Amino acid sequence: MVVVAHFLRWIDTARVCERAAAAAALARAYIDGTLEFEDRCAAEAALTLLLDDPSSKVRLAMAEALSMSRKAPPQIIAALAADQLEVATLVLGRSPLLTDADLIDRFAVAPTPVQCVVAGRAWVGISLAAAIAEVGEAEACIALLQNPGADIAAVSFRRMVERFGDRADLREAMLGLADLPSDCRHLLLVQLGETLGRSPFLLGVMGEARAARMAREACTKASLTLIDRTRSEEHPALIEHLRLRGELTTGFLLRSVAAGKIDFFGAALVALTNQSDRHVGALLARGRDVALCALMRSAGLPTNLQPVITSALAVWRDVANGKRVAGTQEVTWEMLQALKDDPTGEAASLIRRIHLEALRENARHHARAIAAA
């Protein structure tokens, strides 16, 4: 008590550096828990008084000493969190006394550097992450995505995609996350394709129609690649997302079968027919063509494509059982043979295009293998 009284008389004449050092020492003594009750109360009063010090260096010293302690006086932490940028940043980024509600209130009116500090806290709760996704600047959202201690809900991922999906740095941060929901990955790929389609260079070289077609095809191929990165339990969510966007088309399902995405195709049949996973899985595994065609008919797939799909399924079934070695090139050839009666139709054109793409890709792999030998 006597020491604190002496301190309070001394600070009026002390230099800034001395006041800062003394403030830090007093703050450390307070959180150490070694002071008696009366001395602790006096120290708290003195620290509260130091909040009015004209020099930010004194308040910064207090912030450095108190910001990581649960024993710090809450009114002092609240005042320091509202101080000028240099002081507030320390407290907002560290203090365990600040609740999500406190941080959300501060975050909404904070400048971008402070938002980034809050988003980078050691632990960010789901409600704070939602607020950052909703009102944070793009830089704060990127800091949140790069924070391994952040608990981010699927809806917050989607909100960030909606707001900043056109930014390459945010797309890169998002796509690097293993737990990113599959529908968000797809939205990012779609936005990337749309950005590509609006490229002045492509528009100038190819023209608007061709650039748009190329962007659509790139999105479709990316969506197929995305299936490989999506866990089977997430297939229903991805399928529902594609269906709501109008992208679960017959052409897309044909591509998925040609590429061997049979689990995905089965999940699509489950969603389109309301049949059970077990029933659809059994039909795909056993290869009963009549029952499979009936299932595909109830899913709305055109009658003329059902033999094409069953021929592809037969090849992939043999591959799965170890009876033959085949890939997309061989499968699409079998599909084309099944379309001999309609060689000029839209489906035949699509399958022929997939077949030619597979030929080119296989040739590329072969050339690289020769070069590497």
Side-chain angles (χ1 to χ4, degrees), residues 254 257-258 304-319 324-342 347-348 351-352 354-356 358-359:
L254 267 180
V257 171
N304 66 317
L305 293 183
Q306 292 166 16
V308 179
I309 294 174
T310 54
S311 68
L313 291 173
V315 177
W316 289 121
R317 197 178 302 116
D318 287 346
V319 171
R324 67 184 290 183
V325 176
T328 302
Q329 177 179 324
E330 293 78 13
V331 170
T332 48
W333 176 253
E334 295 285 348
M335 294 170 81
L336 285 171
Q337 300 313 299
L339 270 174
K340 277 185 174 179
D341 294 338
D342 186 21
I351 295 168
R352 192 174 295 108
I354 300 170
H355 180 67
L356 293 176
L359 286 173

Side-chain angles (χ1 to χ4, degrees), residues 11-96:
I11 58 172
D12 289 335
T13 57
R15 292 177 297 173
V16 171
C17 60
E18 294 172 336
R19 297 201 306 275
L26 185 61
R28 286 193 295 270
Y30 182 91
I31 61 177
D32 282 346
T34 56
L35 297 176
E36 296 294 333
F37 178 74
E38 288 189 1
D39 290 336
R40 185 176 174 81
C41 290
E44 184 173 330
L47 289 170
T48 303
L49 183 64
L50 286 172
L51 291 172
D52 298 324
D53 195 286
S55 173
S56 63
K57 292 181 179 179
V58 175
R59 302 191 301 279
L60 182 62
M62 291 170 59
E64 288 175 339
L66 297 172
S67 60
M68 299 185 70
S69 175
R70 291 189 177 276
K71 297 178 180 179
Q75 78 276 14
I76 293 177
I77 290 297
L80 292 173
D83 209 306
Q84 64 188 63
L85 186 62
E86 185 182 18
V87 177
T89 298
L90 266 179
V91 177
L92 290 170
R94 296 178 177 179
S95 178

Side-chain angles (χ1 to χ4, degrees), residues 34-249:
T34 56
L35 297 176
E36 296 294 333
F37 178 74
E38 288 189 1
D39 290 336
R40 185 176 174 81
C41 290
E44 184 173 330
L47 289 170
T48 303
L49 183 64
L50 286 172
L51 291 172
D52 298 324
D53 195 286
S55 173
S56 63
K57 292 181 179 179
V58 175
R59 302 191 301 279
L60 182 62
M62 291 170 59
E64 288 175 339
L66 297 172
S67 60
M68 299 185 70
S69 175
R70 291 189 177 276
K71 297 178 180 179
Q75 78 276 14
I76 293 177
I77 290 297
L80 292 173
D83 209 306
Q84 64 188 63
L85 186 62
E86 185 182 18
V87 177
T89 298
L90 266 179
V91 177
L92 290 170
R94 296 178 177 179
S95 178
L97 296 180
L98 296 174
T99 65
D100 275 5
D102 296 329
L103 292 165
I104 290 169
D105 287 343
R106 302 285 183 190
F107 185 89
V109 295
T112 301
V114 174
Q115 287 191 354
C116 291
V117 167
V118 172
R121 282 172 63 93
W123 183 78
V124 175
I126 198 166
S127 58
L128 177 57
I132 294 171
E134 186 62 39
V135 300
E137 298 294 336
E139 291 75 11
C141 290
I142 293 169
L144 178 71
L145 293 167
Q146 294 172 339
N147 183 357
D151 186 7
I152 309 174
V155 68
S156 298
F157 282 122
R158 294 186 191 102
R159 188 65 182 121
M160 285 187 277
V161 173
E162 290 169 1
R163 296 181 65 215
F164 302 117
D166 58 337
R167 287 187 52 138
D169 47 0
L170 185 130
R171 288 197 302 269
E172 183 179 357
M174 266 202 174
L175 291 171
L177 297 174
D179 58 346
L180 183 68
S182 57
D183 60 330
C184 290
R185 286 189 186 277
H186 182 259
L187 283 174
L188 286 172
L189 293 171
V190 168
Q191 290 202 351
L192 179 60
E194 290 173 351
T195 302
L196 180 66
R198 293 192 300 266
S199 165
F201 175 75
L202 282 181
L203 290 172
V205 172
M206 298 183 172
E208 187 174 349
R210 191 177 169 198
R213 187 175 72 249
M214 192 187 87
R216 283 196 304 271
E217 290 180 356
C219 286
T220 300
K221 291 177 184 177
S223 297
L224 286 169
T225 303
L226 174 60
I227 294 171
D228 291 330
R229 299 191 61 181
T230 304
R231 298 188 301 270
S232 57
E233 57 267 27
E234 289 186 36
H235 282 165
L238 177 58
I239 287 163
E240 185 61 21
H241 169 75
L242 291 170
R243 184 158 67 165
L244 289 172
R245 289 183 56 86
E247 295 179 25
L248 193 68
T249 61

